[in-house]
Each structure stands twice: as C-alpha cells, then as structure tokens.
Amino acid sequence: MKNILCFGDSNTYGLIPGTNMRYPFGVRWTSILSRELGFEDYHIAEEGLCGRTTIFDDPLREGRCGVKLLPAILETHAPLDYTIIMLGTNDCKTIYNSSAEIIGKGIERLIRQVKTYSAKSEILIISPIHLGQEIWKYDKEFSDRSIEISKGLSSVYREISIKEKVHFLDASEFAGPGDADREHLDENGHKALANEVLKKIIS
C-alpha cells in the first residue's frame, strides 16, 4: 500500500464556501483521491487545517504555522511515498505583511523538511487558487494587495519546483474560489483539483 500525505489549509480540509462546515468524504479533493486510487492500494492522510500558513504564527489561533507542525506529521504518517503541499493563501493576509517571494521561502523550508524527515517521498507542491475580487467583503483579514500576492504565487512556486527538483501544479489554471466567499473551492473546484492531482500521481 502506498501512503500519500496531503498537507494544506482550509482548501485541503474541505471548508464549504461561506460556512464553517466541511464537505463530506467523497466531495473534498483529498477524499476523491482515496476513492479513485482505491482504498486497498493507497492510503490518503488528509492533513488540512483552516488558517494554516507556511511559516507565520497566527496571533488569533494556535497551531497554524506549517513548519512547526510538518515534521511531526511526517513522522506520524511514515513511511510516505508522496507528500503534497498546498499552502500560501493564509500567508497573503494583511496581518503578515508578506510577499509572494517570502511565502515561497516558506514553501522551500517545508520542502526541505520533507527531504529531511521523509527522504524517499516524492513531493508535489501546489500553488493555490487565486483569491477572488473584493475578498475583503467576505473575509476582512484580506485586502486588495492579498489578491495580487495570491496571483504571484504560481510563478514563484514554479521556479522553486525546478530548483528543488519536485513536482508542481498550479491550481489556479483549472479551479477558482466559490462565489459564496471568494476564497474556498466549491464542489466543482474540488473535482477539478482532484483530477489534476491524480494525473500527477499516476503519471
């Protein structure tokens, strides 16, 4: 059996746009992977957490800093055949005053942690979907600048993937946020993301 870790934020958790509820198994993209790959041959570890960042500590919620949590999670689910990382959206919040390049540095740290704690694991980094227009009307932690930062992540992540010799996927090429909150994947977005991830895993 092959083990795959999916490490991300609310769009890996499967938060339903405009609510505080979670899509059920079979709807969120991580669980679609489970169904399509087959339960007897693959185990998908769904490690999505709302508000998770790459390197920043959230002053309002504990346990959101990715680099502080990933090593333990890697050991928990060892041995891993594949590690998928999709983070960066929450790093775009105004409170962190960050940039696409700094967020990319966070992704690089996460990649190095995987290489250290799970050296045999293949790695796929996914640049997240873009934040939607007027996001601040739905989530006041974001601003106009947050949208522009989110749009800059794909080119930064792509360069990192080449440098670090890991797999890359740009979620914004085939999915976007739901109209209910301009931030989270809707059901169609989860299906589209799952299909593209599947192509990477079984290629």
Side-chain angles (χ1 to χ4, degrees), residues 7 82-87 104 107-108 110-111 114 122-128 153-154 156-171 197 200:
F7 185 71
Y82 224 110
T83 302
I84 302 170
I85 300 172
M86 185 169 71
L87 285 173
I107 289 292
E108 288 185 79
L110 292 166
I111 291 171
V114 177
E122 292 283 324
I123 301 171
L124 169 63
I125 57 171
I126 304 176
S127 60
L153 293 178
S154 58
V156 172
Y157 286 22
R158 189 184 301 274
E159 290 183 10
I160 291 169
S161 71
I162 295 170
K163 182 178 72 173
E164 295 290 339
K165 296 181 174 59
V166 300
H167 305 285
F168 170 76
L169 194 62
D170 181 359
V197 172
K200 288 286 185 180

PDB file of all heavy atoms in Angstrom, residues 7 82-87 104 107-108 110-111 114 122-128 153-154 156-171 197 200:
ATOM      1  N   PHE A   7      -0.970  17.931   2.823  1.00  0.00           N
ATOM      2  CA  PHE A   7      -0.728  18.907   3.886  1.00  0.00           C
ATOM      3  C   PHE A   7      -1.133  20.289   3.373  1.00  0.00           C
ATOM      4  O   PHE A   7      -0.550  20.804   2.418  1.00  0.00           O
ATOM      5  CB  PHE A   7       0.755  18.889   4.259  1.00  0.00           C
ATOM      6  CG  PHE A   7       1.124  19.763   5.427  1.00  0.00           C
ATOM      7  CD1 PHE A   7       0.745  19.433   6.710  1.00  0.00           C
ATOM      8  CD2 PHE A   7       1.883  20.911   5.231  1.00  0.00           C
ATOM      9  CE1 PHE A   7       1.105  20.236   7.795  1.00  0.00           C
ATOM     10  CE2 PHE A   7       2.253  21.717   6.299  1.00  0.00           C
ATOM     11  CZ  PHE A   7       1.859  21.378   7.591  1.00  0.00           C
ATOM     12  N   TYR A  82       4.438   9.745  -1.108  1.00  0.00           N
ATOM     13  CA  TYR A  82       4.164  11.008  -1.779  1.00  0.00           C
ATOM     14  C   TYR A  82       3.714  12.032  -0.746  1.00  0.00           C
ATOM     15  O   TYR A  82       2.891  11.715   0.122  1.00  0.00           O
ATOM     16  CB  TYR A  82       3.039  10.822  -2.808  1.00  0.00           C
ATOM     17  CG  TYR A  82       3.277  11.484  -4.147  1.00  0.00           C
ATOM     18  CD1 TYR A  82       3.520  10.739  -5.291  1.00  0.00           C
ATOM     19  CD2 TYR A  82       3.232  12.878  -4.273  1.00  0.00           C
ATOM     20  CE1 TYR A  82       3.734  11.336  -6.525  1.00  0.00           C
ATOM     21  CE2 TYR A  82       3.435  13.485  -5.494  1.00  0.00           C
ATOM     22  CZ  TYR A  82       3.682  12.718  -6.621  1.00  0.00           C
ATOM     23  OH  TYR A  82       3.890  13.322  -7.824  1.00  0.00           O
ATOM     24  N   THR A  83       4.250  13.240  -0.825  1.00  0.00           N
ATOM     25  CA  THR A  83       3.817  14.340   0.038  1.00  0.00           C
ATOM     26  C   THR A  83       3.347  15.490  -0.833  1.00  0.00           C
ATOM     27  O   THR A  83       4.090  15.977  -1.688  1.00  0.00           O
ATOM     28  CB  THR A  83       4.957  14.831   0.953  1.00  0.00           C
ATOM     29  OG1 THR A  83       5.426  13.729   1.756  1.00  0.00           O
ATOM     30  CG2 THR A  83       4.484  15.950   1.857  1.00  0.00           C
ATOM     31  N   ILE A  84       2.104  15.909  -0.623  1.00  0.00           N
ATOM     32  CA  ILE A  84       1.505  17.005  -1.380  1.00  0.00           C
ATOM     33  C   ILE A  84       1.335  18.201  -0.450  1.00  0.00           C
ATOM     34  O   ILE A  84       0.741  18.069   0.625  1.00  0.00           O
ATOM     35  CB  ILE A  84       0.140  16.594  -1.966  1.00  0.00           C
ATOM     36  CG1 ILE A  84       0.294  15.365  -2.878  1.00  0.00           C
ATOM     37  CG2 ILE A  84      -0.495  17.752  -2.727  1.00  0.00           C
ATOM     38  CD1 ILE A  84      -1.028  14.753  -3.312  1.00  0.00           C
ATOM     39  N   ILE A  85       1.865  19.343  -0.853  1.00  0.00           N
ATOM     40  CA  ILE A  85       1.772  20.564  -0.040  1.00  0.00           C
ATOM     41  C   ILE A  85       1.031  21.637  -0.830  1.00  0.00           C
ATOM     42  O   ILE A  85       1.449  22.002  -1.936  1.00  0.00           O
ATOM     43  CB  ILE A  85       3.164  21.079   0.355  1.00  0.00           C
ATOM     44  CG1 ILE A  85       3.918  20.032   1.182  1.00  0.00           C
ATOM     45  CG2 ILE A  85       3.050  22.391   1.139  1.00  0.00           C
ATOM     46  CD1 ILE A  85       5.372  20.395   1.445  1.00  0.00           C
ATOM     47  N   MET A  86      -0.070  22.122  -0.269  1.00  0.00           N
ATOM     48  CA  MET A  86      -0.792  23.248  -0.878  1.00  0.00           C
ATOM     49  C   MET A  86      -1.062  24.296   0.200  1.00  0.00           C
ATOM     50  O   MET A  86      -2.040  24.228   0.938  1.00  0.00           O
ATOM     51  CB  MET A  86      -2.105  22.795  -1.525  1.00  0.00           C
ATOM     52  CG  MET A  86      -2.814  23.941  -2.268  1.00  0.00           C
ATOM     53  SD  MET A  86      -4.204  23.430  -3.315  1.00  0.00           S
ATOM     54  CE  MET A  86      -5.423  22.982  -2.060  1.00  0.00           C
ATOM     55  N   LEU A  87      -0.167  25.249   0.296  1.00  0.00           N
ATOM     56  CA  LEU A  87      -0.261  26.331   1.280  1.00  0.00           C
ATOM     57  C   LEU A  87       0.112  27.657   0.626  1.00  0.00           C
ATOM     58  O   LEU A  87       0.744  27.694  -0.432  1.00  0.00           O
ATOM     59  CB  LEU A  87       0.674  26.062   2.462  1.00  0.00           C
ATOM     60  CG  LEU A  87       0.252  24.997   3.465  1.00  0.00           C
ATOM     61  CD1 LEU A  87       1.378  24.729   4.467  1.00  0.00           C
ATOM     62  CD2 LEU A  87      -1.019  25.420   4.206  1.00  0.00           C
ATOM     63  N   GLY A 104       7.172  32.023  -0.780  1.00  0.00           N
ATOM     64  CA  GLY A 104       7.956  30.997  -1.461  1.00  0.00           C
ATOM     65  C   GLY A 104       9.082  30.466  -0.590  1.00  0.00           C
ATOM     66  O   GLY A 104       9.384  29.270  -0.606  1.00  0.00           O
ATOM     67  N   ILE A 107       7.637  27.878   1.551  1.00  0.00           N
ATOM     68  CA  ILE A 107       7.451  26.618   0.825  1.00  0.00           C
ATOM     69  C   ILE A 107       8.787  25.869   0.723  1.00  0.00           C
ATOM     70  O   ILE A 107       8.839  24.639   0.868  1.00  0.00           O
ATOM     71  CB  ILE A 107       6.862  26.882  -0.575  1.00  0.00           C
ATOM     72  CG1 ILE A 107       5.398  27.327  -0.460  1.00  0.00           C
ATOM     73  CG2 ILE A 107       6.989  25.654  -1.471  1.00  0.00           C
ATOM     74  CD1 ILE A 107       4.450  26.253   0.039  1.00  0.00           C
ATOM     75  N   GLU A 108       9.865  26.599   0.483  1.00  0.00           N
ATOM     76  CA  GLU A 108      11.182  25.961   0.413  1.00  0.00           C
ATOM     77  C   GLU A 108      11.538  25.284   1.735  1.00  0.00           C
ATOM     78  O   GLU A 108      12.107  24.184   1.746  1.00  0.00           O
ATOM     79  CB  GLU A 108      12.247  26.995   0.055  1.00  0.00           C
ATOM     80  CG  GLU A 108      12.192  27.470  -1.386  1.00  0.00           C
ATOM     81  CD  GLU A 108      13.343  28.396  -1.714  1.00  0.00           C
ATOM     82  OE1 GLU A 108      14.452  27.891  -1.940  1.00  0.00           O
ATOM     83  OE2 GLU A 108      13.128  29.627  -1.737  1.00  0.00           O
ATOM     84  N   LEU A 110       9.459  24.028   3.899  1.00  0.00           N
ATOM     85  CA  LEU A 110       8.629  22.835   4.010  1.00  0.00           C
ATOM     86  C   LEU A 110       9.180  21.702   3.147  1.00  0.00           C
ATOM     87  O   LEU A 110       9.208  20.544   3.566  1.00  0.00           O
ATOM     88  CB  LEU A 110       7.189  23.163   3.611  1.00  0.00           C
ATOM     89  CG  LEU A 110       6.430  24.097   4.563  1.00  0.00           C
ATOM     90  CD1 LEU A 110       5.159  24.610   3.899  1.00  0.00           C
ATOM     91  CD2 LEU A 110       6.097  23.391   5.866  1.00  0.00           C
ATOM     92  N   ILE A 111       9.628  22.047   1.947  1.00  0.00           N
ATOM     93  CA  ILE A 111      10.220  21.040   1.062  1.00  0.00           C
ATOM     94  C   ILE A 111      11.451  20.426   1.718  1.00  0.00           C
ATOM     95  O   ILE A 111      11.633  19.194   1.698  1.00  0.00           O
ATOM     96  CB  ILE A 111      10.594  21.668  -0.298  1.00  0.00           C
ATOM     97  CG1 ILE A 111       9.330  22.028  -1.076  1.00  0.00           C
ATOM     98  CG2 ILE A 111      11.468  20.715  -1.119  1.00  0.00           C
ATOM     99  CD1 ILE A 111       9.593  22.834  -2.328  1.00  0.00           C
ATOM    100  N   VAL A 114      10.490  17.901   4.329  1.00  0.00           N
ATOM    101  CA  VAL A 114      10.095  16.606   3.760  1.00  0.00           C
ATOM    102  C   VAL A 114      11.338  15.813   3.376  1.00  0.00           C
ATOM    103  O   VAL A 114      11.447  14.610   3.663  1.00  0.00           O
ATOM    104  CB  VAL A 114       9.179  16.790   2.534  1.00  0.00           C
ATOM    105  CG1 VAL A 114       8.841  15.425   1.923  1.00  0.00           C
ATOM    106  CG2 VAL A 114       7.900  17.533   2.899  1.00  0.00           C
ATOM    107  N   GLU A 122       8.190  11.243  -2.761  1.00  0.00           N
ATOM    108  CA  GLU A 122       8.025  12.191  -3.857  1.00  0.00           C
ATOM    109  C   GLU A 122       7.315  13.418  -3.291  1.00  0.00           C
ATOM    110  O   GLU A 122       6.535  13.320  -2.324  1.00  0.00           O
ATOM    111  CB  GLU A 122       7.179  11.574  -4.966  1.00  0.00           C
ATOM    112  CG  GLU A 122       7.826  10.425  -5.700  1.00  0.00           C
ATOM    113  CD  GLU A 122       8.874  10.908  -6.695  1.00  0.00           C
ATOM    114  OE1 GLU A 122       8.681  11.961  -7.320  1.00  0.00           O
ATOM    115  OE2 GLU A 122       9.897  10.221  -6.835  1.00  0.00           O
ATOM    116  N   ILE A 123       7.556  14.579  -3.887  1.00  0.00           N
ATOM    117  CA  ILE A 123       6.968  15.823  -3.381  1.00  0.00           C
ATOM    118  C   ILE A 123       6.243  16.549  -4.512  1.00  0.00           C
ATOM    119  O   ILE A 123       6.791  16.726  -5.605  1.00  0.00           O
ATOM    120  CB  ILE A 123       8.038  16.756  -2.786  1.00  0.00           C
ATOM    121  CG1 ILE A 123       8.784  16.064  -1.636  1.00  0.00           C
ATOM    122  CG2 ILE A 123       7.398  18.062  -2.297  1.00  0.00           C
ATOM    123  CD1 ILE A 123       9.992  16.845  -1.135  1.00  0.00           C
ATOM    124  N   LEU A 124       5.015  16.964  -4.228  1.00  0.00           N
ATOM    125  CA  LEU A 124       4.242  17.801  -5.148  1.00  0.00           C
ATOM    126  C   LEU A 124       3.855  19.073  -4.414  1.00  0.00           C
ATOM    127  O   LEU A 124       3.209  19.018  -3.367  1.00  0.00           O
ATOM    128  CB  LEU A 124       2.977  17.067  -5.614  1.00  0.00           C
ATOM    129  CG  LEU A 124       1.933  17.908  -6.363  1.00  0.00           C
ATOM    130  CD1 LEU A 124       2.493  18.447  -7.674  1.00  0.00           C
ATOM    131  CD2 LEU A 124       0.655  17.103  -6.610  1.00  0.00           C
ATOM    132  N   ILE A 125       4.261  20.226  -4.945  1.00  0.00           N
ATOM    133  CA  ILE A 125       3.797  21.496  -4.386  1.00  0.00           C
ATOM    134  C   ILE A 125       2.734  22.071  -5.312  1.00  0.00           C
ATOM    135  O   ILE A 125       2.895  22.074  -6.543  1.00  0.00           O
ATOM    136  CB  ILE A 125       4.945  22.505  -4.146  1.00  0.00           C
ATOM    137  CG1 ILE A 125       5.730  22.802  -5.426  1.00  0.00           C
ATOM    138  CG2 ILE A 125       5.864  22.011  -3.052  1.00  0.00           C
ATOM    139  CD1 ILE A 125       6.719  23.944  -5.266  1.00  0.00           C
ATOM    140  N   ILE A 126       1.662  22.546  -4.711  1.00  0.00           N
ATOM    141  CA  ILE A 126       0.547  23.119  -5.468  1.00  0.00           C
ATOM    142  C   ILE A 126       0.414  24.582  -5.105  1.00  0.00           C
ATOM    143  O   ILE A 126       0.226  24.922  -3.935  1.00  0.00           O
ATOM    144  CB  ILE A 126      -0.772  22.394  -5.148  1.00  0.00           C
ATOM    145  CG1 ILE A 126      -0.647  20.886  -5.416  1.00  0.00           C
ATOM    146  CG2 ILE A 126      -1.914  22.990  -5.970  1.00  0.00           C
ATOM    147  CD1 ILE A 126      -1.891  20.095  -5.033  1.00  0.00           C
ATOM    148  N   SER A 127       0.531  25.456  -6.097  1.00  0.00           N
ATOM    149  CA  SER A 127       0.240  26.865  -5.830  1.00  0.00           C
ATOM    150  C   SER A 127      -1.282  27.006  -5.778  1.00  0.00           C
ATOM    151  O   SER A 127      -1.975  26.510  -6.669  1.00  0.00           O
ATOM    152  CB  SER A 127       0.853  27.770  -6.897  1.00  0.00           C
ATOM    153  OG  SER A 127       0.351  27.469  -8.181  1.00  0.00           O
ATOM    154  N   PRO A 128      -1.804  27.637  -4.737  1.00  0.00           N
ATOM    155  CA  PRO A 128      -3.256  27.630  -4.512  1.00  0.00           C
ATOM    156  C   PRO A 128      -4.038  28.484  -5.497  1.00  0.00           C
ATOM    157  O   PRO A 128      -3.474  29.288  -6.250  1.00  0.00           O
ATOM    158  CB  PRO A 128      -3.373  28.171  -3.088  1.00  0.00           C
ATOM    159  CG  PRO A 128      -2.144  29.001  -2.883  1.00  0.00           C
ATOM    160  CD  PRO A 128      -1.064  28.320  -3.665  1.00  0.00           C
ATOM    161  N   LEU A 153       1.899  33.817  -6.614  1.00  0.00           N
ATOM    162  CA  LEU A 153       2.461  32.601  -6.031  1.00  0.00           C
ATOM    163  C   LEU A 153       2.846  31.558  -7.074  1.00  0.00           C
ATOM    164  O   LEU A 153       3.849  30.863  -6.919  1.00  0.00           O
ATOM    165  CB  LEU A 153       1.487  31.990  -5.025  1.00  0.00           C
ATOM    166  CG  LEU A 153       1.219  32.801  -3.749  1.00  0.00           C
ATOM    167  CD1 LEU A 153       0.188  32.084  -2.879  1.00  0.00           C
ATOM    168  CD2 LEU A 153       2.504  33.053  -2.971  1.00  0.00           C
ATOM    169  N   SER A 154       2.063  31.428  -8.136  1.00  0.00           N
ATOM    170  CA  SER A 154       2.305  30.351  -9.095  1.00  0.00           C
ATOM    171  C   SER A 154       3.681  30.443  -9.744  1.00  0.00           C
ATOM    172  O   SER A 154       4.395  29.435  -9.856  1.00  0.00           O
ATOM    173  CB  SER A 154       1.213  30.313 -10.164  1.00  0.00           C
ATOM    174  OG  SER A 154       1.140  31.542 -10.856  1.00  0.00           O
ATOM    175  N   VAL A 156       6.342  31.963  -8.589  1.00  0.00           N
ATOM    176  CA  VAL A 156       7.357  31.733  -7.556  1.00  0.00           C
ATOM    177  C   VAL A 156       7.473  30.242  -7.252  1.00  0.00           C
ATOM    178  O   VAL A 156       8.579  29.681  -7.198  1.00  0.00           O
ATOM    179  CB  VAL A 156       7.014  32.513  -6.272  1.00  0.00           C
ATOM    180  CG1 VAL A 156       7.951  32.123  -5.130  1.00  0.00           C
ATOM    181  CG2 VAL A 156       7.098  34.018  -6.530  1.00  0.00           C
ATOM    182  N   TYR A 157       6.356  29.570  -7.063  1.00  0.00           N
ATOM    183  CA  TYR A 157       6.368  28.135  -6.754  1.00  0.00           C
ATOM    184  C   TYR A 157       6.949  27.331  -7.907  1.00  0.00           C
ATOM    185  O   TYR A 157       7.639  26.330  -7.696  1.00  0.00           O
ATOM    186  CB  TYR A 157       4.956  27.642  -6.442  1.00  0.00           C
ATOM    187  CG  TYR A 157       4.395  28.037  -5.101  1.00  0.00           C
ATOM    188  CD1 TYR A 157       4.883  29.135  -4.393  1.00  0.00           C
ATOM    189  CD2 TYR A 157       3.342  27.326  -4.523  1.00  0.00           C
ATOM    190  CE1 TYR A 157       4.336  29.518  -3.181  1.00  0.00           C
ATOM    191  CE2 TYR A 157       2.796  27.690  -3.301  1.00  0.00           C
ATOM    192  CZ  TYR A 157       3.297  28.792  -2.636  1.00  0.00           C
ATOM    193  OH  TYR A 157       2.752  29.151  -1.420  1.00  0.00           O
ATOM    194  N   ARG A 158       6.643  27.741  -9.126  1.00  0.00           N
ATOM    195  CA  ARG A 158       7.148  27.010 -10.297  1.00  0.00           C
ATOM    196  C   ARG A 158       8.678  27.052 -10.312  1.00  0.00           C
ATOM    197  O   ARG A 158       9.339  26.033 -10.553  1.00  0.00           O
ATOM    198  CB  ARG A 158       6.595  27.622 -11.584  1.00  0.00           C
ATOM    199  CG  ARG A 158       6.892  26.791 -12.840  1.00  0.00           C
ATOM    200  CD  ARG A 158       6.392  27.502 -14.084  1.00  0.00           C
ATOM    201  NE  ARG A 158       4.969  27.748 -14.029  1.00  0.00           N
ATOM    202  CZ  ARG A 158       4.043  26.877 -14.420  1.00  0.00           C
ATOM    203  NH1 ARG A 158       4.410  25.686 -14.884  1.00  0.00           N
ATOM    204  NH2 ARG A 158       2.758  27.181 -14.353  1.00  0.00           N
ATOM    205  N   GLU A 159       9.244  28.208 -10.051  1.00  0.00           N
ATOM    206  CA  GLU A 159      10.706  28.334 -10.008  1.00  0.00           C
ATOM    207  C   GLU A 159      11.301  27.477  -8.888  1.00  0.00           C
ATOM    208  O   GLU A 159      12.350  26.845  -9.065  1.00  0.00           O
ATOM    209  CB  GLU A 159      11.095  29.804  -9.824  1.00  0.00           C
ATOM    210  CG  GLU A 159      10.820  30.673 -11.045  1.00  0.00           C
ATOM    211  CD  GLU A 159      11.286  32.096 -10.840  1.00  0.00           C
ATOM    212  OE1 GLU A 159      11.976  32.360  -9.835  1.00  0.00           O
ATOM    213  OE2 GLU A 159      10.958  32.953 -11.683  1.00  0.00           O
ATOM    214  N   ILE A 160      10.633  27.462  -7.755  1.00  0.00           N
ATOM    215  CA  ILE A 160      11.106  26.651  -6.632  1.00  0.00           C
ATOM    216  C   ILE A 160      11.079  25.169  -6.992  1.00  0.00           C
ATOM    217  O   ILE A 160      12.006  24.417  -6.669  1.00  0.00           O
ATOM    218  CB  ILE A 160      10.251  26.914  -5.379  1.00  0.00           C
ATOM    219  CG1 ILE A 160      10.507  28.333  -4.855  1.00  0.00           C
ATOM    220  CG2 ILE A 160      10.543  25.879  -4.276  1.00  0.00           C
ATOM    221  CD1 ILE A 160       9.537  28.783  -3.781  1.00  0.00           C
ATOM    222  N   SER A 161      10.027  24.743  -7.662  1.00  0.00           N
ATOM    223  CA  SER A 161       9.911  23.325  -8.031  1.00  0.00           C
ATOM    224  C   SER A 161      11.049  22.894  -8.941  1.00  0.00           C
ATOM    225  O   SER A 161      11.555  21.769  -8.830  1.00  0.00           O
ATOM    226  CB  SER A 161       8.563  23.055  -8.702  1.00  0.00           C
ATOM    227  OG  SER A 161       8.500  23.616 -10.007  1.00  0.00           O
ATOM    228  N   ILE A 162      11.461  23.773  -9.828  1.00  0.00           N
ATOM    229  CA  ILE A 162      12.578  23.462 -10.728  1.00  0.00           C
ATOM    230  C   ILE A 162      13.882  23.378  -9.936  1.00  0.00           C
ATOM    231  O   ILE A 162      14.670  22.447 -10.099  1.00  0.00           O
ATOM    232  CB  ILE A 162      12.675  24.524 -11.839  1.00  0.00           C
ATOM    233  CG1 ILE A 162      11.431  24.469 -12.740  1.00  0.00           C
ATOM    234  CG2 ILE A 162      13.952  24.330 -12.662  1.00  0.00           C
ATOM    235  CD1 ILE A 162      11.322  25.631 -13.714  1.00  0.00           C
ATOM    236  N   LYS A 163      14.086  24.360  -9.061  1.00  0.00           N
ATOM    237  CA  LYS A 163      15.310  24.400  -8.268  1.00  0.00           C
ATOM    238  C   LYS A 163      15.417  23.210  -7.322  1.00  0.00           C
ATOM    239  O   LYS A 163      16.492  22.607  -7.184  1.00  0.00           O
ATOM    240  CB  LYS A 163      15.368  25.701  -7.462  1.00  0.00           C
ATOM    241  CG  LYS A 163      16.638  25.848  -6.635  1.00  0.00           C
ATOM    242  CD  LYS A 163      16.673  27.181  -5.901  1.00  0.00           C
ATOM    243  CE  LYS A 163      15.681  27.224  -4.765  1.00  0.00           C
ATOM    244  NZ  LYS A 163      15.815  28.454  -3.939  1.00  0.00           N
ATOM    245  N   GLU A 164      14.296  22.844  -6.695  1.00  0.00           N
ATOM    246  CA  GLU A 164      14.297  21.778  -5.691  1.00  0.00           C
ATOM    247  C   GLU A 164      14.047  20.391  -6.297  1.00  0.00           C
ATOM    248  O   GLU A 164      14.050  19.390  -5.586  1.00  0.00           O
ATOM    249  CB  GLU A 164      13.241  22.056  -4.619  1.00  0.00           C
ATOM    250  CG  GLU A 164      13.506  23.299  -3.787  1.00  0.00           C
ATOM    251  CD  GLU A 164      14.693  23.123  -2.853  1.00  0.00           C
ATOM    252  OE1 GLU A 164      15.056  21.966  -2.547  1.00  0.00           O
ATOM    253  OE2 GLU A 164      15.259  24.140  -2.424  1.00  0.00           O
ATOM    254  N   LYS A 165      13.779  20.373  -7.627  1.00  0.00           N
ATOM    255  CA  LYS A 165      13.521  19.106  -8.336  1.00  0.00           C
ATOM    256  C   LYS A 165      12.339  18.351  -7.727  1.00  0.00           C
ATOM    257  O   LYS A 165      12.410  17.154  -7.407  1.00  0.00           O
ATOM    258  CB  LYS A 165      14.773  18.231  -8.347  1.00  0.00           C
ATOM    259  CG  LYS A 165      15.933  18.842  -9.124  1.00  0.00           C
ATOM    260  CD  LYS A 165      17.158  17.931  -9.123  1.00  0.00           C
ATOM    261  CE  LYS A 165      18.257  18.472 -10.018  1.00  0.00           C
ATOM    262  NZ  LYS A 165      18.732  19.824  -9.642  1.00  0.00           N
ATOM    263  N   VAL A 166      11.223  19.080  -7.576  1.00  0.00           N
ATOM    264  CA  VAL A 166       9.980  18.473  -7.097  1.00  0.00           C
ATOM    265  C   VAL A 166       8.882  18.725  -8.126  1.00  0.00           C
ATOM    266  O   VAL A 166       9.038  19.532  -9.038  1.00  0.00           O
ATOM    267  CB  VAL A 166       9.566  19.049  -5.718  1.00  0.00           C
ATOM    268  CG1 VAL A 166      10.650  18.777  -4.680  1.00  0.00           C
ATOM    269  CG2 VAL A 166       9.267  20.542  -5.797  1.00  0.00           C
ATOM    270  N   HIS A 167       7.763  18.028  -7.972  1.00  0.00           N
ATOM    271  CA  HIS A 167       6.641  18.189  -8.893  1.00  0.00           C
ATOM    272  C   HIS A 167       5.881  19.485  -8.580  1.00  0.00           C
ATOM    273  O   HIS A 167       5.878  19.955  -7.438  1.00  0.00           O
ATOM    274  CB  HIS A 167       5.708  16.995  -8.796  1.00  0.00           C
ATOM    275  CG  HIS A 167       6.390  15.677  -9.012  1.00  0.00           C
ATOM    276  ND1 HIS A 167       6.779  15.239 -10.248  1.00  0.00           N
ATOM    277  CD2 HIS A 167       6.772  14.711  -8.128  1.00  0.00           C
ATOM    278  CE1 HIS A 167       7.350  14.052 -10.140  1.00  0.00           C
ATOM    279  NE2 HIS A 167       7.377  13.713  -8.858  1.00  0.00           N
ATOM    280  N   PHE A 168       5.202  20.022  -9.606  1.00  0.00           N
ATOM    281  CA  PHE A 168       4.493  21.293  -9.440  1.00  0.00           C
ATOM    282  C   PHE A 168       3.141  21.241 -10.136  1.00  0.00           C
ATOM    283  O   PHE A 168       2.995  20.652 -11.209  1.00  0.00           O
ATOM    284  CB  PHE A 168       5.327  22.445 -10.014  1.00  0.00           C
ATOM    285  CG  PHE A 168       4.574  23.747 -10.105  1.00  0.00           C
ATOM    286  CD1 PHE A 168       4.333  24.504  -8.971  1.00  0.00           C
ATOM    287  CD2 PHE A 168       4.087  24.202 -11.325  1.00  0.00           C
ATOM    288  CE1 PHE A 168       3.620  25.696  -9.046  1.00  0.00           C
ATOM    289  CE2 PHE A 168       3.385  25.394 -11.413  1.00  0.00           C
ATOM    290  CZ  PHE A 168       3.149  26.149 -10.273  1.00  0.00           C
ATOM    291  N   LEU A 169       2.170  21.910  -9.513  1.00  0.00           N
ATOM    292  CA  LEU A 169       0.828  22.045 -10.085  1.00  0.00           C
ATOM    293  C   LEU A 169       0.299  23.429  -9.725  1.00  0.00           C
ATOM    294  O   LEU A 169       0.452  23.874  -8.586  1.00  0.00           O
ATOM    295  CB  LEU A 169      -0.084  20.964  -9.502  1.00  0.00           C
ATOM    296  CG  LEU A 169      -1.420  20.690 -10.182  1.00  0.00           C
ATOM    297  CD1 LEU A 169      -1.224  20.210 -11.610  1.00  0.00           C
ATOM    298  CD2 LEU A 169      -2.191  19.643  -9.379  1.00  0.00           C
ATOM    299  N   ASP A 170      -0.310  24.091 -10.683  1.00  0.00           N
ATOM    300  CA  ASP A 170      -0.900  25.411 -10.458  1.00  0.00           C
ATOM    301  C   ASP A 170      -2.419  25.255 -10.409  1.00  0.00           C
ATOM    302  O   ASP A 170      -3.071  25.105 -11.442  1.00  0.00           O
ATOM    303  CB  ASP A 170      -0.495  26.366 -11.583  1.00  0.00           C
ATOM    304  CG  ASP A 170      -1.061  27.767 -11.405  1.00  0.00           C
ATOM    305  OD1 ASP A 170      -1.786  28.009 -10.416  1.00  0.00           O
ATOM    306  OD2 ASP A 170      -0.788  28.626 -12.266  1.00  0.00           O
ATOM    307  N   ALA A 171      -2.989  25.275  -9.205  1.00  0.00           N
ATOM    308  CA  ALA A 171      -4.427  25.056  -9.036  1.00  0.00           C
ATOM    309  C   ALA A 171      -5.260  26.131  -9.728  1.00  0.00           C
ATOM    310  O   ALA A 171      -6.383  25.872 -10.156  1.00  0.00           O
ATOM    311  CB  ALA A 171      -4.773  25.002  -7.554  1.00  0.00           C
ATOM    312  N   VAL A 197      -4.460  16.348  -9.732  1.00  0.00           N
ATOM    313  CA  VAL A 197      -3.528  15.697  -8.821  1.00  0.00           C
ATOM    314  C   VAL A 197      -3.376  14.221  -9.200  1.00  0.00           C
ATOM    315  O   VAL A 197      -2.264  13.672  -9.184  1.00  0.00           O
ATOM    316  CB  VAL A 197      -3.976  15.845  -7.355  1.00  0.00           C
ATOM    317  CG1 VAL A 197      -3.099  15.003  -6.436  1.00  0.00           C
ATOM    318  CG2 VAL A 197      -3.927  17.313  -6.930  1.00  0.00           C
ATOM    319  N   LYS A 200      -0.900  13.669 -11.865  1.00  0.00           N
ATOM    320  CA  LYS A 200       0.473  13.776 -11.386  1.00  0.00           C
ATOM    321  C   LYS A 200       0.924  12.491 -10.691  1.00  0.00           C
ATOM    322  O   LYS A 200       2.053  12.025 -10.880  1.00  0.00           O
ATOM    323  CB  LYS A 200       0.611  14.962 -10.433  1.00  0.00           C
ATOM    324  CG  LYS A 200       0.539  16.327 -11.082  1.00  0.00           C
ATOM    325  CD  LYS A 200       1.810  16.644 -11.840  1.00  0.00           C
ATOM    326  CE  LYS A 200       1.784  18.058 -12.384  1.00  0.00           C
ATOM    327  NZ  LYS A 200       3.041  18.363 -13.120  1.00  0.00           N
TER     328      LYS A 200
END
